[in-house]
Amino acid sequence: MTLGSVLLLLAAPVLLAAALALAVRHGPRKVVDGRIRAGLGGRPFVLRSLRTRRLRLDAVSRLVHVVRGELSLVGPAPLAPDDPRLLDGGPRRWRLELRPGLTGLAQVRARSRMPWDETALLDLHYAQTLARSRTEIQRIGLDLAILAESVHTPVRATLRGMTRRAKGGLSDTDHRLPGYSPLE
């Protein structure tokens, strides 16, 4: 909660500016999106976030839920209360024992184009890794690694996009010498 509070304070000016921009552009009713999600123990709560994907501001706006204790910084994705992955018995009940997270292994790996495409398996892998961790330092290390990747991936993609725009969208064919023939 402490780290979430610090991050929320740091992000507050950017979130406020984004909310004002959304309100001006789309009207005040279209600034925040709210969906019911299951928290720790299956307890439902309304997950609110800004209606924007730019620089993952929608995820950053959910820091309020971290401070309130409804989400952790890292954990499995928050699911709807009627999601079958949450309701299954047996080994899938682990979801009720973990607080859902703002980000998690499944969200990070899905963006990294890893061959694992089953988010439920990635969330289960995260839960099992936490259970096998012998010390709190190992758990914190895993969470910090996931947080670092969560920040690194969108920032890298944004910077890469800015670089491409700076080049004016030129392709390899735009740099060919006059008289070039691909048949040569």
Side-chain angles (χ1 to χ4, degrees):
M1 270 199 239
T2 303
L3 182 56
S5 298
V6 170
L7 292 172
L8 182 59
L9 285 173
L10 292 173
V14 174
L15 293 174
L16 181 61
L20 288 172
L22 285 169
V24 167
R25 188 170 192 176
H26 301 290
R29 293 182 184 225
K30 297 201 178 193
V31 173
V32 177
D33 183 35
R35 297 179 182 180
I36 298 176
R37 295 291 182 244
L40 186 64
R43 194 180 83 218
F45 69 98
V46 178
L47 180 65
R48 291 183 176 86
S49 58
L50 288 178
R51 290 180 184 242
T52 177
R53 306 299 288 181
R54 189 109 177 136
L55 290 176
R56 304 274 305 149
L57 287 180
D58 58 329
V60 175
S61 70
R62 295 177 190 159
L63 282 168
V64 171
H65 295 286
V66 172
V67 174
R68 292 174 59 185
E70 296 165 333
L71 291 178
S72 64
L73 285 173
V74 179
L79 300 175
D82 60 349
D83 191 299
R85 294 173 288 176
L86 189 65
L87 300 174
D88 282 350
R92 293 191 178 182
R93 299 299 288 181
W94 59 268
R95 280 191 179 272
L96 297 175
E97 298 169 8
L98 285 177
R99 192 177 314 275
L102 186 65
T103 188
L105 186 60
Q107 295 93 316
V108 168
R109 292 293 182 242
R111 287 194 303 265
S112 71
R113 298 187 190 119
M114 294 269 308
W116 291 29
D117 59 350
E118 183 63 45
T119 58
L121 288 175
L122 288 164
D123 283 338
L124 179 59
H125 177 71
Y126 172 78
Q128 290 172 339
T129 303
L130 279 185
R132 285 191 300 255
S133 298
R134 293 191 179 120
T135 66
E136 192 65 27
I137 292 174
Q138 289 175 326
R139 291 182 189 105
I140 291 171
L142 175 63
D143 285 354
L144 288 176
I146 292 171
L147 281 171
E149 187 63 27
S150 295
V151 171
H152 180 258
T153 302
V155 168
R156 183 179 60 212
T158 300
L159 291 175
R160 190 176 297 145
M162 290 170 59
T163 303
R164 286 186 184 137
R165 280 191 292 267
K167 291 181 180 177
L170 298 177
S171 70
D172 289 340
T173 58
D174 296 324
H175 301 289
R176 294 183 181 152
L177 295 173
Y180 169 82
S181 170
L183 300 175
E184 293 177 354

